[in-house]
Amino acid sequence: MNDSQSYSDAQLLWTMRSADALVPAFCGLGSFLLYDSSMNFHEEGPFYVAMAASTLLASNIFPIVGVYSVASMASIPRQLFYVLLGWTIVLGLLLLAAVAIRISPYFPQGWTIVWYASGLCGFSVIRVAVRSTVRRQAAKGRFVRKVVVIGAGPHGRRVINYLHRPGGNFRVVAVFDDLVAARQLIEVAGVPLQGTVVDLLRYFVDWPVDQIVVALPWTGERRIADIVSRLSMLPVDVKLAAAFMLPVTNDSKIGDFNELPMLDLAEKPRSA
């Protein structure tokens, strides 16, 4: 599979953000005509300002509330909740600004409601379309998530082999490791070793990935904490691979035992 025939989270997020940028203006114009087709476009400057401001606000507020996180993409209800939250904040800020500068009479309540509702519909249609595209491409084996693994040791190899198992939609594109011994390697489980974590920071600029997996022994707490601290500046999900390869079911969840994080693999059956 080559890059020209595959799709990644980064590409889908970019497509979604580009489509979202058009929704406020188009829905605003549509609502403009629907509310009162006799309104003169050339005399309604505040409407244009509001639509331009809504696009700018949405582009900045949506990422803050989590609309474009990879985790939220996996769930349509979660996506719609974040969109509802973000779009409500956007119009709320616009209305507050209109009241503050005393131009609120230019924005009829009916038009604002229609704009708000049509905007939600537009954002929802985009998400349903993207979700449908993901399912179709996944069925064809063309939807992949590009992953970088930190750790060239045995645990890193196990993680790579697991992610590359048949039927999976992950592809490890590079491996990085700070240890001097690892630098003598050319590849790990068939994946090229590209250098240290510092090299990863430069690599990400030219080759963005969807996820970074830290595959290091859990006994090296300080080393892991240092790596995670350095990766925190990158706009990507960072995950710590378990030190063991056991199957995890949908019922498994992270809990705590005397404030120590634990993975719940099975629970005692509850009596009636």
Side-chain angles (χ1 to χ4, degrees):
M1 182 188 302
N2 55 52
D3 289 342
S4 64
Q5 295 178 323
S6 63
Y7 299 84
S8 67
D9 286 344
Q11 291 171 308
L12 289 173
L13 286 174
W14 182 88
T15 301
M16 188 180 293
R17 294 188 69 159
S18 300
D20 282 348
L22 302 175
V23 169
F26 275 97
C27 290
L29 286 173
S31 304
F32 192 72
L33 294 174
L34 182 63
Y35 180 74
D36 187 353
S37 59
S38 65
M39 297 174 76
N40 191 332
F41 280 85
H42 301 289
E43 299 177 357
E44 302 298 341
F47 284 91
Y48 296 117
V49 174
M51 286 181 280
S54 68
T55 298
L56 182 61
L57 284 173
S59 298
N60 288 275
I61 290 176
F62 277 21
I64 294 175
V65 300
V67 170
Y68 301 122
S69 68
V70 174
S72 69
M73 282 182 59
S75 170
I76 288 292
R78 185 184 302 177
Q79 267 282 304
L80 296 181
F81 170 76
Y82 289 136
V83 166
L84 175 64
L85 176 61
W87 186 229
T88 301
I89 293 174
V90 168
L91 284 195
L93 290 175
L94 287 177
L95 291 176
L96 287 175
V99 171
I101 60 178
R102 299 180 180 179
I103 62 171
S104 56
Y106 282 95
F107 305 107
Q109 183 179 8
W111 175 77
T112 305
I113 293 174
V114 173
W115 187 24
Y116 177 75
S118 61
L120 285 179
C121 291
F123 292 126
S124 300
V125 168
I126 289 172
R127 274 136 191 86
V128 172
V130 169
R131 184 65 173 174
S132 177
T133 300
V134 168
R135 288 180 176 177
R136 289 199 305 270
Q137 299 305 327
K140 297 177 181 179
R142 297 177 62 186
F143 178 70
V144 297
R145 293 181 179 178
K146 297 178 182 179
V147 179
V148 159
V149 170
I150 297 178
H155 187 35
R157 291 189 180 88
R158 289 196 299 269
V159 169
I160 294 172
N161 291 331
Y162 185 81
L163 292 176
H164 283 174
R165 69 192 188 282
N169 64 339
F170 293 90
R171 182 164 45 135
V172 181
V173 296
V175 178
F176 295 84
D177 200 311
D178 283 336
L179 294 182
V180 176
R183 299 175 193 173
Q184 301 175 358
L185 301 174
I186 299 178
E187 62 179 33
V188 180
V191 179
L193 181 68
Q194 298 285 3
T196 65
V197 174
V198 174
D199 296 317
L200 169 57
L201 301 178
R202 292 193 289 263
Y203 177 93
F204 188 87
V205 175
D206 296 322
W207 306 98
V209 297
D210 300 308
Q211 291 182 347
I212 296 176
V213 177
V214 179
L216 298 172
W218 283 18
T219 52
E221 296 94 340
R222 292 185 179 179
R223 182 185 176 196
I224 293 174
D226 176 65
I227 289 174
V228 172
S229 176
R230 284 188 281 173
L231 296 178
S232 62
M233 65 183 69
L234 299 179
V236 63
D237 291 339
V238 179
K239 299 183 181 296
L240 177 62
F244 46 84
M245 289 296 171
L246 292 176
V248 179
T249 67
N250 292 333
D251 295 329
S252 302
K253 58 183 181 293
I254 298 293
D256 69 90
F257 184 75
N258 195 23
E259 299 183 354
L260 180 67
M262 294 282 182
L263 176 63
D264 298 329
L265 299 178
E267 292 186 349
K268 175 182 178 181
R270 300 181 183 277
S271 60

